[in-house]
Amino acid sequence: MRISITVKLMMVASVLLAIPFIGYYYIWDMEKYLRVGQEQTLKNNAKALATALHNRPNLFNPHASYKDTLEQGKDFFPTEINDAILLDGKDEDWQQYSATRNINRYDYQNQIGSKLTKQQVSVEYSANIGRYKGFVYAFFNVTDDKLILRPENAISISNNDHLEIATIDYLGQLQRYIISNHKAGWVSAFKVSDVPGATPQNEPGIQGHLAITENGYNIEIRLKEDMLGDKVGFQILDVDSLQKPIQHVAVGTANTHDAQDLGTFTVPSPEIEAIIAAMGRTHSAITVVDKHSRILKHQGSIYNATGDYLEPLDLQQNTYSAGFSGNWISQFKQWVLEPFYQYLLTRPPKEFQIQAFDNRRHQNRHVNNALLRGRLDSIWWTTPDNKAVILSAAHPIYVDDKVMGAVVVEETTHGIRNIRNAAVEGVLLTSLFIFISVLALFLYTVRLSYRIRQLRNQTDALIDDNGRLRGMMTAATAKDEIGDLSRSFTDIIQQLGQYNDYLQNMSSRLSHELKTPVAVVRSSLEHLALTETDANKSVFVQRAQQGINRLHSILLAMSEATRLEQTIEHSEFESFDLAALVKGCSNSYQQIYQPQSFHVRISEEPTLFIGSDEHIAQLFDKLIANAVEFSDGSAIDIQLQNDKQQVQLSVSNKGPLLPDNMMLSIFDAMVSIRTLQQSNAESEQLHLGIGLYICRLIAEQHKGKIIAENLIDDSGVRFTLTLPK
């Protein structure tokens, strides 16, 4: 299979095209390794933070941390409030914190000290508790069919509808507070004691507002965090009649007179924030939870959490071509490369949806493993809008070899994606440069191949089928290897042309130069033959006479070929009937070559042809003479075929076959395969191989061709002359 230089060079150059694909797959492998590295780094960060929090019991609620399960509505974890609450007894400020997990509801099922039926209990309420900058806020929305406030001159503060709050102070003592108003407005808070005869004291640390509603009333209060200990309980006491004995119905979280019945109240320790801040984790979202998965501290935003070693990248500014200068680079990227970026690169979004930590049930498997099994774990998960991938690692926090909580460190893969995008951008630019280079190489190879083909065509056009020069080459002016080769060919062709002219004119020159000495020798031999000589000398004279006759025949043949070649070049063509010419010549051959027989097949219709009838007849004569000489006595077949494009004249004879290596060169000058044949007993006939050479000259002059081939059955030889009309 023939493969051109252009194809070969492009096959070699195509190896360069593998570089972009290798780079692209390398980038994906790099991203995979970066993910593994980010995961390992995040685990180490979680481990480091957890180590800093180990064995610090004051960071956790001692009561809640040791409970296996928490009671809803009794064990409290106040909601983190973003802004201060206006104490007006209205719920507008609490709307954004009104999720189900923040509000606890109480009804007849939460009675304290009684077991009345649902119809007998006329009070129910909801409570929402939050914290903001060292204060605890609480909002109670009470539904009561009959509100009884404290009379203005009443001594007792509990014989009416009121709110009781109980807690354990830092000394382990039970502290109780009652909010009992005689009218709507600013709340009246009292600190009470179970000691007999003790008088309630005003409590200025509790502020708030009581507002009467259509269905009951609202109580909105604020108190300092240090007033509440690790355990808290509250209850609403409902009084439907002031007639003695006054009956109370208590609905709440616990018996405020029993310290053991109080629920837990967990407020994150400020030490956690100080420890995390000291660790300097600025590129991760950090969450510290207790053993019940309640958030004790959250620091950092997941939207900016890309990892410490993966700084946020701006794909528009931090690119592969950032090292180049000039506005054309930016314009080129904007107009040419930007469309490719839209399809190949996924830019990390600045905004994406993310669920609150408490609602990630399917994404908290690693947290459960840390809290329940005490082992480090991590997971990859996708945001609900599929715009971001989050990596989260959780490590347990130990206090006295018991798991008290966990550190959860989270990051996005935006940093990795930015690095990948920058690398892909570099691959795109490199691929573009490689493509341009391959294209330039392709154009160069096409140009190089064209010049080589042009040199080949120019060289082929100089030599005909017989090896003769048709003209001279024009040397190329290019100063490279192909130009040098063209100039070398030009010099060689010029030298070959001179030598070819010498060979073509040699026969006529020899014929002209040898005529005079041959005539002198011949006349001398004739005079010598007339003188008397002895018998021995006459034999040598006779042999010399035969040799000079042969030399004379050679000169005549060479002169005939030269004259014929010149005659053919200057002959004029005219229209004649080729069929009539062949038919007439064939009839003459029947008489000349008796007893040789001929089988002639010629169309009866005229075959008009434009050429030299004299030279065509001469060609036909030499083919017939050659066929008769080599015929084994069988009939010689003559056939003339005619179609719209060309005519074919073939002469076939039975006899010796042509050697395979002589079928093409038999039409060259001075080429003959004859052996010396005795024509009679006294003389020899010389054959110089001029006849078929003359046939070729006549065929070429008529823009035709002549070939010799063995018959299919190897019984003889056929000569076929093909002439275009």
Side-chain angles (χ1 to χ4, degrees):
M1 182 177 62
R2 180 180 179 274
I3 302 178
S4 64
I5 294 178
T6 302
V7 175
K8 291 180 180 178
L9 289 177
M10 293 310 300
M11 290 175 63
V12 175
S14 62
V15 177
L16 298 175
L17 299 178
I19 295 177
F21 292 99
I22 294 174
Y24 189 74
Y25 286 109
Y26 173 77
I27 289 173
W28 286 111
D29 290 339
M30 177 190 70
E31 182 179 4
K32 180 179 67 175
Y33 293 132
L34 285 176
R35 285 176 179 267
V36 174
Q38 184 182 13
E39 183 177 9
Q40 189 62 39
T41 301
L42 200 67
K43 286 183 177 180
N44 292 335
N45 292 342
K47 183 177 180 180
L49 290 171
T51 301
L53 299 175
H54 284 335
N55 295 319
R56 294 177 181 268
N58 57 327
L59 302 181
F60 304 95
N61 187 308
H63 303 285
S65 299
Y66 289 93
K67 296 182 68 173
D68 294 332
T69 59
L70 298 179
E71 298 182 49
Q72 178 69 26
K74 186 173 183 178
D75 295 302
F76 299 101
F77 188 84
T79 304
E80 189 75 24
I81 298 176
N82 300 327
D83 299 306
I85 299 294
L86 177 62
L87 300 177
D88 56 1
K90 300 179 181 179
D91 63 349
E92 283 81 359
D93 294 337
W94 296 88
Q95 293 296 328
Q96 55 181 321
Y97 311 109
S98 60
T100 304
R101 60 186 177 88
N102 297 329
I103 298 180
N104 295 304
R105 302 186 183 279
Y106 305 89
D107 54 17
Y108 74 99
Q109 299 178 3
N110 304 102
Q111 297 178 64
I112 306 298
S114 62
K115 295 182 179 179
L116 301 177
T117 63
K118 180 179 181 180
Q119 290 75 18
Q120 294 175 322
V121 178
S122 61
V123 63
E124 60 181 26
Y125 62 95
S126 62
N128 196 346
I129 302 176
R131 54 185 292 267
Y132 175 76
K133 292 186 177 181
F135 288 93
V136 175
Y137 291 83
F139 183 83
F140 299 90
N141 177 236
V142 183
T143 300
D144 191 359
D145 59 349
K146 188 176 182 180
L147 172 60
I148 296 180
L149 298 176
R150 176 170 58 87
E152 293 187 8
N153 298 322
I155 299 176
S156 174
I157 61 174
S158 59
N159 291 331
N160 53 274
D161 293 342
H162 64 275
L163 168 65
E164 289 190 12
I165 301 174
T167 185
I168 304 295
D169 61 14
Y170 65 95
L171 296 176
Q173 299 296 322
L174 177 66
Q175 302 293 337
R176 296 175 55 243
Y177 304 95
I178 292 179
I179 297 175
S180 178
N181 277 29
H182 62 83
K183 66 178 180 178
W186 198 253
V187 298
S188 299
F190 303 91
K191 182 178 181 181
V192 296
S193 174
D194 291 335
V195 177
T199 303
Q201 304 293 326
N202 290 328
E203 180 54 59
I206 300 178
Q207 297 90 31
H209 195 94
L210 185 146
I212 299 175
T213 64
E214 296 180 356
N215 299 322
Y217 57 95
N218 294 335
I219 298 178
E220 188 175 30
I221 61 173
R222 180 188 66 183
L223 65 161
K224 294 182 179 181
E225 284 186 0
D226 54 11
M227 292 182 61
L228 300 177
D230 296 330
K231 301 186 71 175
V232 166
F234 59 83
Q235 58 184 1
I236 294 290
L237 285 91
D238 180 42
V239 176
D240 291 335
S241 175
L242 293 178
Q243 294 181 1
K244 297 182 180 180
I246 298 176
Q247 301 293 329
H248 296 84
V249 175
V251 175
T253 64
N255 186 354
T256 56
H257 297 271
D258 186 359
Q260 301 298 324
D261 192 38
L262 300 182
T264 61
F265 186 80
T266 303
V267 177
S269 172
E271 295 184 26
I272 297 178
E273 182 176 357
I275 294 173
I276 293 178
M279 296 296 292
R281 312 309 303 173
T282 58
H283 296 295
S284 300
I286 302 171
T287 304
V288 180
V289 299
D290 63 5
K291 66 178 299 183
H292 302 293
S293 297
R294 297 184 301 181
I295 299 176
L296 301 180
K297 177 60 183 175
H298 181 80
Q299 178 172 309
S301 173
I302 191 64
Y303 298 100
N304 299 322
T306 57
D308 290 347
Y309 67 100
L310 297 172
E311 294 293 339
L313 298 177
D314 187 354
L315 192 61
Q316 297 289 346
Q317 299 177 359
N318 194 349
T319 60
Y320 177 79
S321 58
F324 296 94
S325 60
N327 294 329
W328 70 272
I329 292 290
S330 301
Q331 295 178 357
F332 175 78
K333 288 170 52 183
Q334 180 179 0
W335 296 104
V336 178
L337 299 182
E338 190 67 21
F340 291 96
Y341 295 157
Q342 299 297 331
Y343 292 100
L344 296 180
L345 303 182
T346 303
R347 295 180 179 176
K350 295 182 179 180
E351 296 182 358
F352 49 87
Q353 296 179 359
I354 187 169
Q355 296 173 314
F357 186 85
D358 295 341
N359 296 331
R360 302 180 202 165
R361 297 181 180 179
H362 301 289
Q363 289 82 26
N364 284 347
R365 172 180 53 82
H366 60 309
V367 179
N368 295 332
N369 288 334
L371 295 176
L372 300 180
R373 297 178 177 84
R375 68 183 186 186
L376 173 64
D377 197 6
S378 63
I379 64 168
W380 297 85
W381 54 281
T382 306
T383 57
D385 55 2
N386 294 322
K387 291 184 178 181
V389 178
I390 309 298
L391 171 62
S392 181
H395 192 284
I397 300 174
Y398 290 94
V399 176
D400 296 333
D401 296 331
K402 293 183 179 180
V403 177
M404 290 298 173
V407 174
V408 182
V409 184
E410 295 179 325
E411 294 176 358
T412 67
T413 59
H414 287 1
I416 293 178
R417 291 166 67 180
N418 283 327
I419 292 177
R420 182 200 65 187
N421 291 346
V424 171
E425 183 179 355
V427 170
L428 284 176
L429 289 175
T430 303
S431 303
L432 182 60
F433 293 146
I434 291 176
F435 177 77
I436 294 175
S437 301
V438 172
L439 181 61
L441 180 61
F442 172 74
L443 296 177
Y444 174 75
T445 55
V446 169
R447 172 63 179 169
L448 184 65
S449 178
Y450 170 75
R451 292 178 60 195
I452 295 176
R453 288 197 304 270
Q454 191 178 33
L455 180 60
R456 180 204 61 189
N457 297 336
Q458 189 177 5
T459 305
D460 292 343
L462 293 175
I463 302 175
D464 59 12
D465 296 337
N466 301 312
R468 291 185 177 184
L469 291 176
R470 297 177 180 175
M472 300 304 294
M473 284 186 62
T474 301
T477 59
K479 298 183 181 301
D480 56 8
E481 288 78 1
I482 298 179
D484 294 340
L485 182 61
S486 175
R487 289 186 287 273
S488 299
F489 279 173
T490 302
D491 295 339
I492 294 173
I493 294 300
Q494 289 177 353
Q495 297 177 12
L496 289 177
Q498 296 174 2
Y499 184 67
N500 194 24
D501 291 340
Y502 168 75
L503 292 179
Q504 290 178 354
N505 297 324
M506 184 180 65
S507 61
S508 60
R509 292 173 183 172
L510 287 176
S511 176
H512 178 72
E513 296 295 334
L514 292 176
K515 281 183 180 180
T516 300
V518 168
V520 173
V521 174
R522 187 172 187 177
S523 62
S524 299
L525 289 176
E526 289 176 352
H527 285 86
L528 183 62
L530 295 177
T531 60
E532 294 182 359
T533 58
D534 56 17
N536 293 331
K537 291 182 178 180
S538 63
V539 174
F540 293 106
V541 172
Q542 184 180 6
R543 290 181 178 178
Q545 186 69 38
Q546 292 176 355
I548 203 65
N549 290 336
R550 293 179 61 190
L551 184 58
H552 181 67
S553 299
I554 293 174
L555 292 176
L556 291 177
M558 293 173 63
S559 299
E560 180 185 1
T562 302
R563 289 194 304 271
L564 180 60
E565 188 173 351
Q566 295 174 353
T567 302
I568 291 174
E569 292 178 356
H570 298 88
S571 61
E572 295 182 359
F573 289 176
E574 60 183 9
S575 178
F576 64 92
D577 187 357
L578 182 60
L581 185 145
V582 175
K583 188 174 183 180
C585 292
S586 299
N587 294 333
S588 300
Y589 301 149
Q590 296 283 355
Q591 303 297 326
I592 296 173
Y593 296 106
Q594 290 184 357
Q596 178 66 52
S597 60
F598 295 89
H599 182 207
V600 182
R601 290 181 291 174
I602 302 174
S603 174
E604 297 295 335
E605 298 180 357
T607 303
L608 297 179
F609 183 77
I610 298 177
S612 174
D613 55 351
E614 179 183 355
H615 291 144
I616 295 296
Q618 187 178 2
L619 182 151
F620 193 25
D621 291 343
K622 293 187 178 297
L623 291 181
I624 293 298
N626 186 77
V628 171
E629 186 173 352
F630 284 95
S631 176
D632 60 358
S634 303
I636 295 176
D637 183 68
I638 301 174
Q639 184 177 1
L640 180 64
Q641 295 180 341
N642 179 21
D643 59 25
K644 295 181 180 181
Q645 302 295 331
Q646 62 187 10
V647 292
Q648 281 188 345
L649 174 62
S650 61
V651 178
S652 305
N653 67 275
K654 301 293 181 64
L657 301 177
L658 289 173
D660 293 338
N661 59 349
M662 294 295 292
M663 291 184 181
L664 297 177
S665 61
I666 195 172
F667 296 99
D668 294 339
M670 298 298 186
V671 176
S672 177
I673 62 173
R674 292 181 176 86
T675 59
L676 293 177
Q677 299 179 358
Q678 295 289 341
S679 59
N680 51 49
E682 291 84 9
S683 65
E684 294 178 345
Q685 184 178 0
L686 181 65
H687 297 277
L688 299 177
I690 299 297
L692 293 179
Y693 172 67
I694 293 174
C695 292
R696 194 194 74 184
L697 293 179
I698 297 174
E700 291 177 350
Q701 184 64 20
H702 289 79
K703 302 185 183 301
K705 64 179 180 178
I706 184 170
I707 60 173
E709 58 186 351
N710 294 324
L711 296 176
I712 297 177
D713 57 0
D714 292 335
S715 61
V717 178
R718 175 188 294 114
F719 286 83
T720 303
L721 171 66
T722 303
L723 297 173
K725 283 189 175 181

